[in-house]
Amino acid sequence: MIGYIFQRILASIPVMGFVALFVFLLLRLTPGDPAAIIAGDTATPEQLEAIRDSLGLNDPMLVQFFDWIIRLLQGDFGTSIQSREPVLKLIADRMEPTISLALTTIVLSVVIAVPLGVIAAWKHGTLIDRFVMLLSVLGFSIPVFVIGYLMISLFSMQLGWFPVQGFRPIGNGAGDFFHRIALPTLTLTLLYIALIARITRTSMLEILGEDYIRTARAKGLPEVRVLMRHALRNCSVPIITVIGIGFALIISGVVVTESVFNLPGLGRLTVDAVLARDYPVIQAVILLASLIYVIVNLLIDISYVLLDPRIRYS
């Protein structure tokens, strides 16, 4: 197992290198001039040239790339072009809202979606099964921003139960934290409930037709034990895979939700950086998202051994 983990870590190095090269070239080859954004519309050509020189944008592209890689290896992600603050500090300041939203969403989604998927498979073809499938279709079909605005209209503007926007750290009080994170969490949860419940239902349907399930029922075991211990445990690998990938997707893809609810997380930071052509911030955020994917996939592979004793890594 240790050798396998070490091999996966080594294999992730060229992946991260390719991502770094792709992001660097993509940002440099797309239209737009950071110097013009910084200087404003009234800047003279001499002022623009001076800003480009100070930012190193006039250096050859190959020189810019290797300078950036060397700084990365030294733990220096650069300085924001827009705010002139260290990029790592900007990311650290924005991590809490994004991680909080990701954790509350994935926990609530798993708690609701897995039992729904199990019940839908158990009651295959009934109204309960059709309701779960309808919920899955709606969750996939309705855009996240539409769900967000519907949530705001109903629970904030009409009922007045939750604030429209904003974030409070959990250190300032758990009550205020959950009060403000509730609507964004519910908005994303509807999407991930649809995904996880559908995968759970499909996996359970395949397992419930196996001979050992019929044997367990023939032995007189309670139906709950058959479903949870024999069926769900043996179909947990694809479910865990979807949950892990979903967690990585939430962290790296909450741009729309954070914009709708005005959460000061990584999504808002990414939007602001893209609009300002802030190269260092965009590069760091994309690299961070790629690193999260690599780590989550490694943890998913390790969990397979714990869930299925037949799986061995050498």
Side-chain angles (χ1 to χ4, degrees):
M1 173 64 72
I2 301 299
Y4 171 78
I5 296 175
F6 184 70
Q7 291 177 3
R8 285 293 303 270
I9 293 175
L10 289 179
S12 66
I13 294 176
V15 173
M16 296 300 298
F18 176 79
V19 171
L21 177 62
F22 176 78
V23 171
F24 180 86
L25 293 177
L26 180 66
L27 293 176
R28 294 309 191 280
L29 296 178
T30 51
D33 186 0
I37 297 176
I38 295 173
D41 297 332
T42 60
T44 64
E46 291 77 13
Q47 292 174 328
L48 293 176
E49 194 67 21
I51 294 174
R52 294 191 191 100
D53 285 333
S54 65
L55 298 176
L57 298 178
N58 286 333
D59 295 335
M61 195 172 297
L62 191 62
V63 174
Q64 294 184 45
F65 177 72
F66 280 107
D67 286 345
W68 177 55
I69 292 296
I70 291 173
R71 290 197 302 270
L72 283 181
L73 295 176
Q74 295 173 348
D76 180 11
F77 284 79
T79 303
S80 169
I81 295 176
Q82 184 181 24
S83 65
R84 309 307 299 170
E85 293 186 65
V87 173
L88 280 181
K89 181 180 181 301
L90 290 176
I91 293 178
D93 292 341
R94 302 294 189 98
M95 282 292 289
E96 183 178 357
T98 300
I99 292 179
S100 299
L101 180 58
L103 288 176
T104 53
T105 297
I106 207 67
V107 169
L108 185 60
S109 299
V110 171
V111 168
I112 297 176
V114 173
L116 275 181
V118 172
I119 294 173
W122 181 39
K123 299 293 185 180
H124 177 59
T126 64
L127 289 177
I128 296 176
D129 183 26
R130 293 173 183 173
F131 169 76
V132 174
M133 293 304 296
L134 176 63
L135 182 65
S136 298
V137 171
L138 290 177
F140 281 120
S141 303
I142 304 177
V144 174
F145 70 90
V146 174
I147 298 176
Y149 286 128
L150 289 175
M151 291 282 187
I152 291 174
S153 175
L154 176 61
F155 294 107
S156 295
M157 300 181 67
Q158 296 185 24
L159 298 177
W161 291 355
F162 301 100
V164 175
Q165 59 185 10
F167 175 79
R168 289 291 185 274
I170 195 169
N172 293 349
D176 201 15
F177 166 78
F178 285 111
H179 190 222
R180 290 185 175 271
I181 204 72
L183 282 188
T185 297
L186 290 175
T187 299
L188 282 177
T189 296
L190 290 178
L191 171 63
Y192 286 96
I193 283 177
L195 175 63
I196 298 173
R198 191 180 186 93
I199 294 297
T200 303
R201 174 186 176 275
T202 303
S203 302
M204 285 287 294
L205 284 176
E206 296 177 359
I207 295 297
L208 289 177
E210 296 292 335
D211 292 338
Y212 62 85
I213 297 295
R214 288 192 289 269
T215 301
R217 285 171 171 165
K219 290 167 62 177
L221 294 178
E223 191 67 17
V224 174
R225 186 175 180 183
V226 173
L227 291 174
M228 303 304 295
R229 182 172 180 179
H230 294 276
L232 182 59
R233 182 176 181 182
N234 283 281
C235 69
S236 57
V237 169
I239 299 174
I240 291 296
T241 302
V242 171
I243 292 173
I245 295 176
F247 180 75
L249 285 173
I250 293 173
I251 291 182
S252 59
V254 293
V255 175
V256 175
T257 306
E258 289 185 356
S259 298
V260 170
F261 292 96
N262 195 26
L263 298 178
L266 292 178
R268 288 293 306 278
L269 178 65
T270 304
V271 172
D272 295 340
V274 169
L275 294 177
R277 302 287 297 175
D278 199 337
Y279 293 149
V281 174
I282 301 173
Q283 292 168 164
V285 170
I286 296 178
L287 285 178
L288 175 63
S290 303
L291 181 62
I292 290 173
Y293 271 103
V294 170
I295 294 174
V296 168
N297 282 320
L298 177 59
L299 294 177
I300 290 173
D301 288 348
I302 295 174
S303 70
Y304 291 164
V305 179
L306 303 177
L307 297 171
D308 192 342
R310 296 170 297 179
I311 299 176
R312 288 289 182 269
Y313 295 123
S314 58

